[in-house]
Amino acid sequence: MLAMLYCMAIMRLVNGVVEKTRKKAEVSIAVAADAIGIPCTLIDIRHEGSHRELPAFEVVRSASVKALDWLKYYYWEPQKKAIPFHGNETAGIKTEIRSKFHELAFCLRVKNTPHLRSSKMKEKRGSKKDLTKILKSLVGLYSAFSSEVVSVLLEFLLKAINSSDSSELPVNTQNSPSLQISLNEWKLVIAKFSNKEPELLLALLNAVLDMIENQEAVIYETGWVCTSSDHRAETLQVEHLSSLFKWLVKIFKD
């Protein structure tokens, strides 16, 4: 079954790309594929899979790597070079995302804290209208910059976990939007945001898994040459990521 799936993907790749670049009556598939640099192995697999027996699993799996390499060279890299890099713009977007998350957390804190709820702070920044406006802004940012939103939110969550064992510093929440937010408060933020963007939790879970895999790969590759303090820090980071994953799964189940 796997061999068949690999073979079908390769056949669809060759047919889909080549058919747009050749005149059927004048040029064969092999000639058209060679003109744009498609590896001959992929052409052979297409022919075998279409007219003869299914190629061996090892053959089609190896060919799939060549197919990805070709896609990267022929399409993805040129596309990447064609898109201008806006480093400052990305930084500005992340700053805006951070600000909106802080505002949302603050509004939820006011809404769910009795002594704040009865103060003038509610009139200024804790109203339902404010929540709706902030959520609308975050939804718009998520639709355009989902990876940046997930990245910023993970930064905040990891910071909350890292500081969960230490006592919180006093914060002037009335004058500073950069309030220190506890993990429980982030749970409210995620729950509120997920009502508008249900796929957010899955995106967070996938991102945490990727971070765990990358961190464990670093530990495995450099564990023998790093200092013991570095190794402990990396191991602690994996533990925090694992705790965060369990925490997000619980929210997802709830």
Side-chain angles (χ1 to χ4, degrees):
M1 181 61 71
L2 278 175
M4 185 183 296
L5 290 171
Y6 273 115
C7 189
M8 287 174 64
I10 291 170
M11 289 169 62
R12 292 192 67 178
L13 169 65
V14 174
N15 290 339
V17 173
V18 170
E19 291 299 335
K20 292 182 179 295
T21 63
R22 77 179 185 112
K23 296 180 180 179
K24 297 182 180 180
E26 300 176 10
V27 181
S28 68
I29 286 181
V31 172
D34 184 66
I36 56 176
I38 292 182
C40 59
T41 303
L42 305 184
I43 307 303
D44 293 340
I45 288 175
R46 177 200 170 277
H47 183 76
E48 292 290 325
S50 300
H51 306 293
R52 298 182 182 177
E53 295 182 356
L54 184 69
F57 172 73
E58 292 78 8
V59 173
V60 290
R61 188 170 192 177
S62 174
S64 71
V65 176
K66 294 182 180 180
L68 287 171
D69 288 340
W70 179 83
L71 275 171
K72 181 178 179 181
Y73 167 78
Y74 182 79
Y75 182 73
W76 291 331
E77 286 296 337
Q79 288 294 310
K80 182 179 178 181
K81 292 176 182 177
I83 300 173
F85 175 71
H86 300 292
N88 293 333
E89 182 180 342
T90 301
I93 289 166
K94 283 197 169 185
T95 299
E96 184 179 357
I97 293 169
R98 290 187 183 96
S99 175
K100 292 301 178 183
F101 271 125
H102 274 134
E103 290 178 15
L104 179 58
F106 182 83
C107 284
L108 290 173
R109 175 181 284 185
V110 171
K111 181 180 178 182
N112 293 282
T113 306
H115 76 275
L116 295 179
R117 206 166 49 232
S118 60
S119 70
K120 292 183 179 180
M121 295 172 66
K122 179 181 178 182
E123 298 175 10
K124 293 180 180 179
R125 302 184 62 186
S127 68
K128 185 176 180 180
K129 184 177 179 181
D130 288 330
L131 279 172
T132 302
K133 184 178 179 181
I134 295 166
L135 279 171
K136 185 176 180 180
S137 296
L138 278 171
V139 168
L141 287 167
Y142 186 78
S143 63
F145 309 102
S146 58
S147 59
E148 285 81 3
V149 171
V150 170
S151 174
V152 168
L153 192 49
L154 282 179
E155 287 176 16
F156 286 143
L157 293 175
L158 285 171
K159 184 177 180 181
I161 287 180
N162 289 336
S163 61
S164 60
D165 295 332
S166 59
S167 59
E168 293 188 359
L169 297 174
V171 178
N172 187 344
T173 56
Q174 184 172 358
N175 298 323
S176 174
S178 300
L179 71 163
Q180 184 167 336
I181 307 168
S182 70
L183 207 55
N184 284 334
E185 289 174 314
W186 278 122
K187 183 177 181 179
L188 293 175
V189 170
I190 291 173
K192 201 73 174 177
F193 193 18
S194 295
N195 287 335
K196 300 292 183 181
E197 295 290 348
E199 71 275 12
L200 173 70
L201 272 170
L202 287 176
L204 284 170
L205 286 167
N206 282 326
V208 173
L209 281 179
D210 289 340
M211 292 176 72
I212 291 173
E213 290 178 358
N214 292 336
Q215 198 71 28
E216 288 184 335
V218 170
I219 293 173
Y220 178 78
E221 293 173 3
T222 64
W224 298 105
V225 295
C226 286
T227 64
S228 57
S229 60
D230 290 337
H231 190 76
R232 282 197 300 272
E234 291 168 354
T235 303
L236 183 62
Q237 183 71 357
V238 171
E239 291 175 359
H240 284 161
L241 287 166
S242 299
S243 298
L244 177 58
F245 184 81
K246 293 177 183 177
W247 184 78
L248 289 168
V249 168
K250 187 176 185 303
I251 295 177
F252 185 77
K253 288 181 177 179
D254 293 340

